Amino acid sequence: MAKIVSAGLLGFSEAAAHIHSGKLVAFGTETVYGLGGNAVDGEAVARIFRAKGRPSFNPLISHVPQADIAFGLGKPTPLAQMLAAAFWPGPMTLVLEQRENCPISSLATSGLDSIALRVPGSELARAFLQEVSLPVAAPSANRSGRISPTRADHVQDELGAEADIAMILDMGPCVEGLESTVIDARGQKPVILRPGSVTAEMIRDLTGVQLEKAGHDIVSPGQLASHYAPRTPVALNQSTPKENDAWIGFGDAPQGKAHAVFSFSEKGDLIEAAASLYDTLRQADAAGAKRIAIAPIPAEGIGTAINDRLSRAAAGSLALSD
Ligand code: TXA
Ligand code: MG
């Protein structure tokens, strides 16, 4: 079991010492918990891939406490500066061209010329990054392909047995609950590589640019078809539960019987649904049902990102959908 330490000054200095010695520390952000390691140290980055069991080396996001530090690693474009001024600190990751002297390990960037950078909105996460004062590479702290963790005990369940994880910094439940929006900001027009709670509408309102959908050749390498997957098969867009279902609703209570009943948001609120998404999926997965049946979620605003994650959670179970 990994040691869980409450976020606070003592915890931060211990955590920073672990990162400096090449060990891994799981920490909370406003989106999901990350599994952090020194982004400049290739061996530490390799330990991240090993602990998660990532089948291939997807590039990782480097986390820093301030925008000017991010722009010391990746070249800012006018577009990137505009996005950073509006949405950093916050749930947004920018893909930029690396600066020539960029010290980030090529394993963290998968040998690409680009780099993904994020300044988290969570104050505790930034205080931790400030204490480390090195860029921290961090994917979500789950086993590859599984549900992302939004609480310290989720990380313990997923990865607590991994020897390279020195500690878990408990920062409480994640308030956003969905991974950051990944935006390629290298050109003049923003391209959303992964939807998140900084929505297409918000980006369009800021930039005045009507967004194009990312083509197949430029989606984030980590956007695998099956991801965020519970062990129980998942059926989406269901109108009523069956007897053996763990039902996850949105808004109104279901008609008819189910093995167990959950809800992303009883009042039908998309922000609340995003924040509870992974926790509710975990609970439904643990209910011992034959299937997880999920009500339709409106595809507007942050609903786009929720449906993106749900379709990946269901991707391995299409045969069971009806
Ligand atoms: O909210 C988040 O972003 C969380 C927290 C911990 O910060 N992190 C996270 O990391 O979700 P991860 O590794 O699960 O997802 C990173 C995404 C992947 O889809 C990856 O392919 C993409 O970012 N990515 C990283 N570097 C990239 C690059 N240079 N070009 C395009 N996509 C990149
Ligand atoms: Mg992930």
Side-chain angles (χ1 to χ4, degrees), residues 206-253:
L206 175 78
T207 60
V209 175
Q210 192 65 40
L211 298 194
E212 293 152 35
K213 278 231 149 113
H216 289 299
D217 48 338
I218 46 172
V219 292
S220 275
Q223 287 287 70
L224 304 174
S226 172
H227 212 100
Y228 317 105
R231 292 187 166 77
T232 315
V234 175
L236 303 179
N237 295 315
Q238 301 296 299
S239 49
T240 46
K242 295 187 171 153
E243 223 165 284
N244 291 324
D245 283 346
W247 172 259
I248 307 182
F250 177 79
D252 295 339

Side-chain angles (χ1 to χ4, degrees), residues 41-56:
D41 174 355
E43 287 181 25
V45 175
R47 288 186 191 107
I48 297 176
F49 286 109
R50 187 171 63 188
K52 279 188 60 106
R54 265 206 194 194
S56 59

Side-chain angles (χ1 to χ4, degrees), residues 29 31-35 52 54 58-61 63 93 95 108-109 112 114-116 118 138-140 178-180 182 193-194 220-223 227:
T29 75
T31 61
V32 298
Y33 273 74
L35 180 60
K52 279 188 60 106
R54 265 206 194 194
N58 287 324
L60 304 181
I61 298 168
H63 297 71
T93 295
V95 172
T109 57
L112 299 169
S114 57
I115 181 170
R118 180 155 115 81
S140 49
L178 266 190
E179 295 83 356
S180 60
V182 180
L193 301 179
R194 176 175 73 182
S220 275
Q223 287 287 70
H227 212 100

